Amino acid sequence: MTSPTEETNLPTADELRLLEPAAVRFRTVGHRLEVCLDDDSWQESSLLRMFPLSEEYGWLAVLNADGKELGVLRDLHGLAHDSLAAVREELRRRYLVPRITAILAVRDRADVTEWRVETDRGPATFQVRHLSENLKQPLPGHLSLTDVEGNRYDIPDLAALDDDSRRRLEERM
Amino acid sequence: MNLLNIPLPDDLAPNAGLDGPARVCVAADLRPDGTLGAQWLVVTNRTVYLLSREERVTIIVWSRRISDISEPKTLTFIGGGALEATVDGEKQVLERYTGARHGQFNTVAGLLEKWSKGEEAEVPEEESHRCPTCGLPLRKGSRVCPACIPKSRTLKRLLGYLVPVRGMALSLMGVSLLATALGMIPPLLQRPLYDMVLAPKPGTVETPERYRLLLLLTLGLLAVALVGSMLGVLQSWISSWLGNRVTHNIRCQLFQHLQYLSLSFYDKRQMGSVISRVNQDSGGLQHFLTWGAQEMVTNLLLFLGVGAMMFVINWKLALLVVLVVPFISAIGGQVWRRLRHVMHRIYHRWGRVNAMLSESLTGLRVIKAFAQEDREIERFSTRSDELFMPTVNIERTWAIAFAGIGLLFGISRLLVGYVGGMEILGEHMTIGELAAFTMYAAMFDGPLRHLSMLLNWSSRSFAAAERIFEILDTEPEPHDQRQATIPPIEGRLEFRHVTFGYERARTALKDLSFTLEPGEMIGLVGHSGAGKSTIINLVCRFYEPQQGEVLIDGLRIADLPLEGWREQIGLVPQDTFLFSGTIAENIAYARPGATREEIIRAAKVANAHDFILRKPDGYDTLIGEGGQGLSAGEKQRLAIARAVLHNPRILILDEATSQVDVETEKQIQEAIDRLVAGRTTIAIAHRLSTLKNAHRLIVLKSGEVVEIGTHDELLQKEDGEFRRLVTMYQEVSKVREVGR
């Protein structure tokens, strides 16, 4: 894991350490991410999006196994090819909120609305109660639906939906 | 159905062969590649299996002896998680799932941990929150599936409110029936007016007889008009009384329910939209119950009565009139379908406007301090503007619909005139009959026009009623007036392995255990977010622990009546909440029957007496909502006085962080010392003096106890967390001193 000498390399709490993409390497070991930074390597580290809704592949915080921040990747340009793949893999592993790509049907059933959708993770059917509270627009054009079980489904760009999907959604907004 | 042991998928390949009955069978919903799909984790006595649905058949994809598995635990991701375990010395992800299943897999990880070590563990019962028949989600605490019961339930429930006022309701029905029947008479009188007075067949009626009949018929019409208007007045009077009575009852019930709802209900909702719900929905319901219901009954009766009369007079003409009914209802239905969503939208936008209003006015100080008034005005204007177009649209649609319906009526009237004329010419009908018929046809317009609108209106009101019932159906905190008092308590408070999180995936307290002796004062120390306020929330039973228990004198507080327990607790919160009323009333808030003497004694103990005396109105000084006109130090001392008067066995002290001057600080400290004496006290301490006075301190970090001990013991610890915190605090204080 981490040795005391490496500990001293960590940025202080008030420091924003931007990582140079060319100087970082990522690798997937087992189902965990390994980060190689300068001459240190960090097992079981993780990536967190700092702006999960507005920046998909930018402003990523790189954390070690203890949750301490190693630095921040502002963007992925200049990252080696295999590192890039590992980063995408880690993000897909960690961010499980499905993104709706098409809305196939919306129908009222008793006190819930039932949504049949296509997502980037495959088809899904879920029920939403109190649309006013569970259909939110955190950013302009970005919507999120929360179903009765508390799972979230995102629509990152309303304008990118096909006309039918958009009409079905707008009827309920 | 226990969610931790659901039936095995029935398409499991028959020769798959588990080595025994399943102790645990949980469904996961993410495949290894992160796509959505059904997976199962099954545990038998000896083996763990992973099942996956592939190509319409479920197969076992992986299996291991339980004893080969170690360190099972759950990983929390965003929107889901994974069950990880060490298998053959290597960490592996067994299952991936969405956030909804996190709780189940946490439990499963706990079970696997014990079983893999060969320990015994019972599979707990986790109830499914879905309807066994249709699979739709049920409301929390409800076993009734809203889809599987008839739609008339809301109506029935609304009618249920009429039971206590059934006398009035029945008389309203009677009066309505009478008024409607009366309304049928004038056209009947029209018939002899034409056929015997104005244009009788030559030679059938004598002229003097015609004069006499004219007078009689006119008097008859007058009588009908007189009685009709009297009945009308009576009808409005009764129905407005009824509507207001019923809504008053609903509103009060709603408010009562809102008071008893647990804090977690409010965590998820904007206060403004709750307020809007109480105001708008009960207002809308009142409007409907007062006017709509009456109109509906009258119009329905009129519709049936008039229809019948028309058929009696001439069925051919009646058919012509009835012909337009389907067209009109089609237009109405179309319009309604278009408008429903728009109306819904308007409703929610109103909610947003209200929410914004309350948020903005509550935060006015901050807004002004940052000079952001213009931005708030802009925000408000945007929200208000969102209401503009949908409302205009509704009006436009109505206008078009009304014009269309009017045209249909006009056409049907023309047809009646033409066909009726033909009938008279062919001597199948008299002029009087046509006159009576035309009058009935005109009366038919009203109900027809109104019924479609009224149906909409009632749908809207039903929606309002459903929203109200939705709040009423949210399970309140358990409260039972009958056994509200609990036996006197000594004050030994114990946390035993308490685990709690506001959201299931994030724990705020982890396996917390400590005991407070009666009369002991304990100080909670730690960063913000360490779990100090959470401990207090659990003691007050604002929330219930997920695991473990809180005990008082060895009894689980969860088993005590809630109100009785809370009566034993005195809370001096960080932000003193004062209600609008006099100082005396505010001090006596927890004990409204307190005498003046008791109030003054409490104020003296709290060092509040002197400043109260200096107010021109003394104890009768009216304080506004939120305690306007009082300084922070004064408010704190009033809160202490309140707690003194309440005289609780358990005292919870959430010290205010706001800095007050040295003299006030001293006075507050004295007051607190007197208040604390002899009571079991939990203090979230910010003042060093409080820390020193506490018998013991509990230092928390990320929901776990890191140190327990007296002030001095903890200070002696080199490298101790408390020592670090105090050093930090002293440095900050020094800076403050210099700044002064």
Side-chain angles (χ1 to χ4, degrees):
Chain A
M1 290 254 207
T2 57
S3 66
T5 49
E6 285 166 338
E7 201 73 49
T8 52
N9 278 335
L10 293 173
T12 55
D14 61 348
E15 180 190 348
L16 174 61
R17 183 176 293 176
L18 292 176
L19 301 175
E20 194 56 50
V24 205
R25 287 204 0 263
F26 296 98
R27 207 156 66 95
T28 303
V29 179
H31 61 280
R32 295 293 188 89
L33 186 73
E34 183 193 86
V35 184
C36 298
L37 185 61
D38 302 324
D39 290 326
D40 302 328
S41 83
W42 308 80
Q43 312 289 319
E44 295 194 8
S45 53
S46 55
L47 292 175
L48 281 184
R49 289 188 171 121
M50 304 174 83
F51 302 93
L53 305 188
S54 52
E55 280 280 354
E56 201 179 346
Y57 292 112
W59 291 105
L60 303 175
V62 184
L63 310 181
N64 70 9
D66 304 329
K68 291 256 161 49
E69 188 174 298
L70 303 175
V72 171
L73 270 179
R74 191 155 58 178
D75 57 55
L76 304 180
H77 295 296
L79 213 57
H81 195 68
D82 48 345
S83 289
L84 197 62
V87 165
R88 285 178 187 274
E89 208 178 318
E90 161 72 7
L91 289 176
R92 191 171 159 80
R93 195 161 43 225
R94 187 159 292 273
Y95 287 84
L96 297 169
V97 177
R99 295 168 171 206
I100 294 175
T101 49
I103 297 169
L104 306 177
V106 184
R107 101 186 147 114
D108 288 305
R109 294 188 67 187
D111 60 343
V112 293
T113 48
E114 185 164 274
W115 298 69
R116 201 153 61 75
V117 299
E118 197 59 56
T119 74
D120 61 344
R121 293 177 183 272
T125 302
F126 56 90
Q127 291 97 17
V128 180
R129 190 178 279 143
H130 315 327
L131 264 185
S132 56
E133 284 162 23
N134 291 312
L135 174 58
K136 291 222 167 97
Q137 187 161 356
L139 293 175
H142 184 118
L143 282 97
S144 83
L145 274 160
T146 309
D147 77 358
V148 287
E149 317 228 29
N151 281 340
R152 215 177 77 190
Y153 296 82
D154 273 8
I155 301 166
D157 186 5
L158 184 58
L161 286 182
D162 60 280
D163 288 348
D164 282 344
S165 298
R166 207 169 47 240
R167 183 180 49 75
R168 289 185 187 114
L169 183 66
E170 274 169 354
E171 270 184 3
R172 306 301 175 128
M173 276 165 71
Chain B
M1 184 168 70
N2 187 354
L3 287 177
L4 296 176
N5 196 358
I6 59 175
L8 292 168
D10 49 15
D11 60 345
L12 183 64
N15 54 352
L18 303 180
D19 64 358
R23 282 195 284 178
V24 162
C25 176
V26 279
D29 48 5
L30 286 177
R31 294 204 188 91
D33 63 354
T35 57
L36 295 158
Q39 307 272 306
W40 291 266
L41 182 133
V42 179
V43 188
T44 62
N45 272 329
R46 284 167 35 202
T47 319
V48 180
Y49 297 91
L50 300 183
L51 273 48
S52 174
R53 177 162 292 158
E54 314 280 338
E55 305 282 330
R56 289 163 202 280
V57 67
T58 306
I59 52 164
I60 295 173
V61 289
W62 186 92
S63 65
R64 271 294 186 288
R65 286 286 177 84
I66 296 181
S67 48
D68 294 343
I69 291 174
S70 58
E71 294 171 20
K73 63 169 185 173
T74 55
L75 307 174
T76 308
F77 298 142
I78 286 101
L83 177 69
E84 188 196 65
T86 308
V87 184
D88 307 332
E90 203 174 297
K91 278 185 185 166
Q92 273 193 24
V93 166
L94 302 186
E95 286 286 15
R96 292 152 68 73
Y97 45 83
T98 62
R101 323 229 168 200
H102 204 87
Q104 290 167 35
F105 276 91
N106 261 337
T107 316
V108 169
L111 288 170
L112 279 179
E113 165 111 59
K114 291 208 168 127
W115 288 341
S116 65
K117 290 180 190 158
E119 293 169 25
E120 287 294 307
E122 271 301 289
V123 179
E125 195 63 32
E126 183 153 352
E127 280 281 306
S128 163
H129 291 294
R130 284 180 178 267
C131 170
T133 324
C134 67
L136 281 185
L138 302 172
R139 286 171 191 287
K140 197 167 173 272
S142 160
R143 300 272 91 201
V144 187
C145 174
C148 296
I149 49 159
K151 275 202 186 294
S152 54
R153 179 170 155 264
T154 310
L155 181 65
K156 264 194 199 150
R157 205 162 158 185
L158 267 180
L159 289 179
Y161 284 95
L162 288 179
V163 173
V165 287
R166 56 186 169 275
M168 277 299 211
L170 285 177
S171 32
L172 180 63
M173 272 310 282
V175 172
S176 301
L177 267 173
L178 219 59
T180 315
L182 208 67
M184 312 291 262
I185 295 176
L188 285 180
L189 298 181
Q190 290 286 315
R191 200 162 148 183
L193 190 66
Y194 278 93
D195 291 347
M196 299 173 80
V197 180
L198 298 178
K201 278 187 185 161
T204 45
V205 190
E206 297 288 320
T207 309
E209 178 70 8
R210 284 167 72 182
Y211 276 103
R212 206 177 61 83
L213 273 175
L214 180 63
L215 183 66
L216 270 178
L217 287 174
T218 314
L219 285 177
L221 283 172
L222 180 70
V224 169
L226 274 177
V227 179
S229 30
M230 267 158 41
L231 284 179
V233 171
L234 198 61
Q235 202 178 4
S236 316
W237 187 83
I238 302 179
S239 73
S240 83
W241 186 91
L242 258 184
N244 282 298
R245 182 84 245 162
V246 169
T247 355
H248 167 76
N249 291 348
I250 294 182
R251 199 164 26 219
C252 289
Q253 195 191 358
L254 194 59
F255 184 76
Q256 181 190 348
H257 200 79
L258 286 172
Q259 292 284 319
Y260 285 129
L261 282 176
S262 74
L263 286 178
S264 51
F265 173 83
Y266 294 100
D267 285 351
K268 293 185 208 115
R269 287 167 177 83
Q270 283 178 304
M271 213 42 97
S273 71
V274 175
I275 292 173
S276 139
R277 217 183 259 205
V278 176
N279 282 337
Q280 285 203 20
D281 287 342
S282 64
L285 206 57
Q286 169 169 13
H287 202 54
F288 177 74
L289 287 174
T290 316
W291 298 112
Q294 176 207 346
E295 288 275 300
M296 201 142 142
V297 171
T298 321
N299 277 296
L300 201 66
L301 289 173
L302 214 57
F303 182 79
L304 295 174
V306 168
M309 289 311 279
M310 287 197 303
F311 272 96
V312 168
I313 295 175
N314 187 312
W315 65 269
K316 281 185 237 166
L317 288 184
L319 276 182
L320 278 180
V321 174
V322 173
L323 215 62
V324 295
V325 173
F327 291 102
I328 287 173
S329 39
I331 295 183
Q334 197 63 37
V335 169
W336 176 235
R337 211 162 306 145
R338 277 192 56 180
L339 287 189
R340 204 172 61 146
H341 292 308
V342 186
M343 301 235 245
H344 219 71
R345 202 175 302 178
I346 292 183
Y347 172 84
H348 288 307
R349 293 193 176 167
W350 263 115
R352 273 159 51 100
V353 167
N354 279 338
M356 151 103 212
L357 193 64
S358 91
E359 176 186 299
S360 177
L361 292 182
T362 329
L364 203 58
R365 242 165 219 284
V366 180
I367 295 169
K368 283 192 179 296
F370 288 103
Q372 292 295 324
E373 293 99 328
D374 287 346
R375 196 175 68 167
E376 291 296 309
I377 294 169
E378 178 67 37
R379 271 208 321 154
F380 186 81
S381 150
T382 318
R383 293 239 172 137
S384 173
D385 194 50
E386 287 174 348
L387 283 166
F388 178 75
M389 271 326 281
T391 319
V392 171
N393 269 332
I394 283 194
E395 296 300 330
R396 275 189 194 152
T397 316
W398 272 133
I400 294 170
F402 267 111
I405 290 173
L407 189 66
L408 278 174
F409 276 131
I411 291 171
S412 109
R413 200 74 46 78
L414 279 174
L415 279 174
V416 166
Y418 180 75
V419 178
M422 298 282 278
E423 293 274 295
I424 293 175
L425 290 180
E427 303 221 336
H428 299 300
M429 197 182 184
T430 65
I431 297 180
E433 279 172 345
L434 183 63
F437 187 90
T438 320
M439 247 182 120
Y440 278 129
M443 283 166 68
F444 201 58
D445 279 16
L448 208 51
R449 245 180 238 262
H450 281 111
L451 272 179
S452 56
M453 193 186 76
L454 279 169
L455 283 178
N456 297 352
W457 193 3
S458 57
S459 306
R460 242 181 304 162
S461 308
F462 271 31
E466 273 165 10
R467 284 190 293 266
I468 289 177
F469 291 152
E470 178 199 315
I471 294 188
L472 290 179
D473 290 342
T474 309
E475 203 178 4
E477 292 179 305
H479 60 94
D480 192 342
Q481 301 283 2
R482 281 167 300 149
Q483 42 158 333
T485 49
I486 59 172
I489 55 170
E490 213 182 325
R492 176 175 290 101
L493 187 69
E494 183 183 354
F495 269 60
R496 197 180 282 172
H497 300 295
V498 169
T499 297
F500 173 78
Y502 293 94
E503 293 160 56
R504 279 186 88 168
R506 279 169 216 286
T507 44
L509 295 179
K510 282 174 220 140
D511 196 25
L512 201 72
S513 298
F514 60 85
T515 308
L516 267 78
E517 295 305 321
E520 187 183 23
M521 176 181 181
I522 209 156
L524 298 178
V525 191
H527 289 292
S528 61
K532 295 170 299 191
S533 304
T534 309
I535 289 182
I536 285 177
N537 283 338
L538 292 184
V539 172
C540 292
R541 273 183 71 193
F542 291 145
Y543 300 87
E544 306 285 342
Q546 272 132 14
Q547 283 165 35
E549 45 207 17
V550 183
L551 304 141
I552 183 76
D553 297 346
L555 300 169
R556 282 156 42 96
I557 62 167
D559 296 337
L560 298 173
L562 187 64
E563 282 164 34
W565 169 239
R566 290 211 183 129
E567 263 167 28
Q568 303 293 328
I569 301 177
L571 176 67
V572 182
Q574 200 169 52
D575 301 310
T576 311
F577 193 86
L578 297 172
F579 297 89
S580 49
T582 65
I583 286 185
E585 281 167 355
N586 264 289
I587 294 178
Y589 185 74
R591 254 183 63 198
T595 62
R596 294 222 160 119
E597 188 188 323
E598 287 171 319
I599 292 173
I600 296 166
R601 278 185 198 283
K604 285 209 161 226
V605 173
N607 273 346
H609 182 71
D610 288 342
F611 87 76
I612 298 174
L613 271 194
R614 284 196 299 274
K615 306 258 172 215
D617 289 343
Y619 281 85
D620 286 332
T621 304
L622 198 62
I623 34 186
E625 216 174 301
Q628 285 148 356
L630 294 178
S631 74
E634 289 171 342
K635 281 192 228 175
Q636 284 175 32
R637 278 175 284 170
L638 284 189
I640 295 171
R642 202 186 259 172
V644 170
L645 187 60
H646 181 38
N647 193 19
R649 285 304 308 142
I650 312 277
L651 183 70
I652 289 169
L653 199 61
D654 191 355
E655 273 189 351
T657 40
S658 60
Q659 294 290 312
V660 288
D661 59 87
V662 182
E663 179 55 28
T664 314
E665 168 89 32
K666 209 186 98 207
Q667 294 208 343
I668 293 176
Q669 195 51 55
E670 268 177 25
I672 288 179
D673 291 346
R674 291 183 201 133
L675 175 62
V676 162
R679 302 177 211 276
T680 308
T681 303
I682 302 184
I684 295 186
H686 298 294
R687 295 189 180 87
L688 276 176
S689 50
T690 315
L691 293 178
K692 276 185 193 147
N693 288 349
H695 298 105
R696 276 186 305 162
L697 298 174
I698 295 183
V699 186
L700 293 164
K701 199 175 177 185
S702 320
E704 284 174 287
V705 176
V706 285
E707 287 167 20
I708 295 191
T710 65
H711 180 260
D712 293 340
E713 277 169 23
L714 293 183
L715 265 192
Q716 311 254 303
K717 267 197 190 170
E718 298 275 339
D719 261 15
E721 176 75 8
F722 180 69
R723 195 182 157 116
R724 211 173 59 78
L725 283 170
V726 169
T727 323
M728 222 154 63
Y729 181 83
Q730 279 166 341
E731 272 162 25
V732 175
S733 304
K734 263 183 223 152
V735 175
R736 275 215 193 104
E737 290 302 320
V738 173
R740 268 190 193 157

